[in-house]
Every structure is written in C-alpha cells, then in structure tokens.
Amino acid sequence: MFESAAMPVTVGGAQDAADLSRLIAEVLVAVGSGSPSAAAIGVWATALGSVGDDDLQLDEAELLERIAAQERLKAAAAASQARYSVLLETRIRERRAGGDEAASSSVESGDTTGTRPRVVDPSTEAGQAIALARCESPSRGGRLLGLAKALVHEMPHTLNALAAGRINEWRATLVARETACLDVGDRARVDEALVPAYARGGVGDRQLAAEARAHAQRLDPAAAVKRARRAVTERRVWLKPAPDSMAVLSCLLPAAQAVAAYKALCAAADSARVCRAEAPGRGPRAPQGGDGRTRDQTMADTLVERLTGQGRAGDVRIAVNVVMSDAALVGGSPEPAALAGYGVLPAQIARDLVLASSDAALRRLYTSPTTGSVAALESRCRAFPPGLRDFIALRDQTCRNPWCDAPIRHHDHVVPAARGGPTSAANGQGLCERCNQAKEAPGWRHATTPALRHTVTVTTPAGHRYRSTAPPLPGVREVIGHRVEFPGGECVFHTAA
C-alpha cells in the first residue's frame, strides 16, 4: 500500500492527467484503510498541491472529475482524522495512567513550593493538541474531538458515509449535533435510520439536519424538551469583525425574547422615521425617512443608543483602545491602526474616531528603535498590576495560544511564578480561560523565545513545537527572511511585516 500510494510524482508540472487521477484514487484507498504514514501523506499533499502545465490543458469533464475526487478525498481524510483523534485521546489517558502525571508534576514544579499543576482532563488536553495539529482554535479542537468520539463510538454508519465521500465533515457535524441529546442506543438507531439518506445522495444541509432532528424527536421527545430548556442557559452575546471596518454584534436568545427584541427595534425605528418625516418644515416622507437613514440603519442606531444610553449612536462614550503610530495620528500616514477587541482599522477611520470623541485621552507606547518591539515593564508582585495588564493586552490583542483568537481573559506567566517566573512583560502573555487551563496539563511547556517581537514556544508532551508571536504594532516594519523548501532546492525571500 505504501509503495503504490507514494508513487513517484514530479512536482511542478510533469505529471499528466492519468498519473494524477491514479494518485487521487490510490490516496483514497490508502486513507480509507487508515494505514498511510505521515511521510506518505506529506508526499500526496505536495503532489496534489502543485499546479502543472498539463493542468491548463484539461477539459471541463476532467476538471470536474478531479474536483469531485478531491472532495471525496477531503471527506475520507476527515473520517481518518476522526479515528486518529479518538486514538490520540486513548494514548493520552494511557500515559496519564502510567504515572507520567506524577513524574511531570515533580519535574515541572520541582516540589519546591508545595504547589502542583492543576488537574487537566485528558479530553481537554487532547482537544488542545488536535487544535494545534490542525491549525484551529482550542475551542474548535474540542468540538472536533467531540465529533470524532461520537462518530467512532456511536455513529458507525455516519462515519462510513463520511469515509466514502457520501457526506462531508460539516454534514456529519450536523447529524451529530441534532442527536446529541439522545442516549447511545437511540443515537445508534437514528444513525441506522439515516442510511437511506446517505445512500441516495443529493441531500442538503437543512434536509439532512431536519431528518436527523425528526428521528431524534420521535425516539425521545422528552430529551428534545430537556435540550431546549438547557439551551436557555447558554444565551450569550459575542462580537466578531466584518469587512470594511464593520463588526457583527450577535446574541443567542430564547426564540420568544429574540422575536420580541426585534419587533421592539422595528417599532421604534418606524416611529422615529415617521416623527422625523412629519416634522415641521419637511416635505412628504421619503423612503429613507426624514433624515436620510434607511429603516435598517435606524434600527441599528436605535440598538446602539438603547444599549449604551447615548443620545446618538455616533457618540461613543464607552472606552475603547485604538493603537496607532504617531505618524498616522498627526502626520497623515496611511499606516493602519488596531482597535482592541476588533482588529485592523484604516488610518483615516481611526483618525475620524479620535476626532469625533470630545474627551479622547492619549497614552504613549514606546518601541525599540532597532527591533520595533514594545518596551518591557517589570513588577515584583506575583499578580500583574493594572498597568502591566493593560500593556500585555495591548501588545497581544487576542489569546496568544497558536491559532486561538479568543478575547484575553487571563494574564498568565509564561514560566509559572511557582517555578521562579517573573511578573514581567517578557514573561507575561494574554490567554483565554480555556487555553490558560489547558497549559497546566502534565508535559506541556511554554517558554519565551528570543525574537524581534515577543514570541512564545509551546511544546506538547509528544515533543511538537508551535510558536506564537505577538502581532506587530501599527507603524512597525521589520524584514523577515522566509525559507521555503521544495524538491530540488530551496528559496529564501524577504518580506516586511
């Protein structure tokens, strides 16, 4: 299997259509069997990721065949990842049971202070490791592990459909989500009942989720009610960036409350537009209302005004941190700024934000003239003082764990204070709650690495290393050399970051 799957393929344009088609077919067989090594998978990835001269001559039929085959390959790889993820958690539990936890506790802490690492659930540690390996956030890594366990242990038909390319990973996720409230026996019955849907194909996301939901509610209606009541406790509000310096403020509410809130905004917007349009001195009401705003714009402004207590939506009174260079603030430089909790803003938008505020306060951050890194702060106390907490939050912007962009909740010592780690900017990092807890698992190590910007290296118990570098501040330019290896040589190029 290995020899045929890792067949010689010339990367960069020499493979013909028949060679690549055979490669995809053999990769599908090998991935489905679960036997290929990491090296073989790496060869396939290199070959499939290349674009050759022959590709430009393919006709529509061959292009569609390759797209379909590669979609099947993605599904088969997802099924294989699910199996490997479950095995990974098993190996972590075996390591814990073998006494590694006690050894790591004594080695890592030195037992000099009487403190021991916090107990971290093996599932949490496995989810963290999977997230790093798949370049995903820790929360998504946990969800992927949960999906893998459900497919491998409770839903074999759905797993087989995924391995065969009948469904993709997202549709498998929908089925697992709709049956999460069932016990193992009922979930297995729903899994079996969905086989005809997998076999006939052509079933979209909504239809497949609806079928799974209907089967689940017929088998255990009480569980569906219990799940709906539990969902009320998960109500929340969150913020995520949107294009063009906009953001999406979302909330998860009970259906009745959400509908009532939406109707209240509609009624308030309609009333405000009517009042403005009928005010003395105005003509007949225009489609946008008397002040030129559309109904949607009026609703959005009403929401901001009611939440913040402002008279006008544009009067932002709640403190926000905008980080920008002095040249961008007063010199007209186009260097983008950074809005804490959001991300990058165009320089002119940031200047408009500052000028629109009647009580804006300026705070200076000093950077090294040679490296562009922010100046260090030091404190003798174990807890980070407010000024240093603000400094770390402005430097890191989001959670510093690789591929996690969750908001910062904890200001953490890279080297724990119990092991002599200082309370300093260099030894501090901003983490979300989940990542801060997961790093306490036995065998996990965080350490700062010398670099132009603050860099933390995360080492897993298996020895894999991942780096996290603080994002550059506005106005900072540094030249970074990148080395890219390819068959037959390597290339080094430089970019400004």
Side-chain angles (χ1 to χ4, degrees), residues 197-231:
Y198 299 148
R200 69 175 181 265
V203 181
D205 295 354
R206 291 187 179 182
Q207 184 179 354
L208 185 61
E211 286 195 35
R213 189 183 310 118
H215 286 303
Q217 292 183 2
R218 279 194 292 268
L219 285 172
D220 195 346
V225 174
K226 182 179 179 181
R227 180 180 178 183
R229 290 174 176 169
R230 184 178 66 248

Side-chain angles (χ1 to χ4, degrees), residues 20 71 76 158 176 180 207 222 270 276 288 349 353 365 401:
L20 191 53
E71 189 64 26
T158 301
Q207 184 179 354
D270 290 340
R276 286 192 296 268
Q288 290 83 14
I349 299 298
L353 201 60
L365 288 177
N401 200 62

Side-chain angles (χ1 to χ4, degrees), residues 15 29 40 48 64 100 124 161 164 270 280 285 289 325 334-335 340 348 376 392-393 405 411 419 436 445 470 474 494:
Q15 75 266 31
V29 173
L48 293 174
L64 288 173
D100 182 74
T124 301
D270 290 340
R285 184 175 58 170
S325 67
E335 177 65 32
Q348 186 57 54
I392 292 173
D405 54 4
H411 295 78
R419 289 165 45 202
N436 191 27
R445 299 189 302 278
H494 298 84

Side-chain angles (χ1 to χ4, degrees), residues 76-160:
S80 182
Q81 282 182 320
R83 298 187 185 98
Y84 289 149
S85 297
V86 173
L87 284 173
L88 175 65
E89 185 187 15
T90 301
R91 295 294 178 267
I92 290 175
R93 292 185 183 277
E94 290 173 351
R95 168 168 58 81
R96 296 281 194 90
D100 182 74
E101 183 166 359
S104 296
S105 176
S106 60
V107 171
E108 295 293 323
S109 67
D111 284 340
T112 58
T113 62
T115 61
R116 287 184 175 273
R118 289 175 297 201
V119 177
V120 178
D121 186 87
S123 295
T124 301
E125 181 180 351
Q128 186 88 347
I130 291 169
L132 291 171
R134 295 188 60 169
C135 304
E136 297 281 4
S137 68
S139 60
R140 176 150 176 79
R143 292 195 298 270
L144 289 169
L145 176 59
L147 172 65
K149 290 160 64 174
L151 293 176
V152 172
H153 295 313
E154 302 173 7
M155 309 179 72
H157 297 295
T158 301
L159 179 61
N160 290 336

Side-chain angles (χ1 to χ4, degrees), residues 288 292-302:
Q288 290 83 14
R293 291 185 298 171
T294 65
R295 184 171 185 267
D296 287 341
Q297 292 170 347
T298 305
M299 289 176 62
D301 291 346
T302 302

Side-chain angles (χ1 to χ4, degrees), residues 401-428:
N401 200 62
W403 297 292
C404 182
D405 54 4
I408 293 174
R409 296 284 182 250
H410 294 168
H411 295 78
D412 174 68
H413 292 77
V414 178
V415 177
R419 289 165 45 202
T423 303
S424 65
N427 193 50

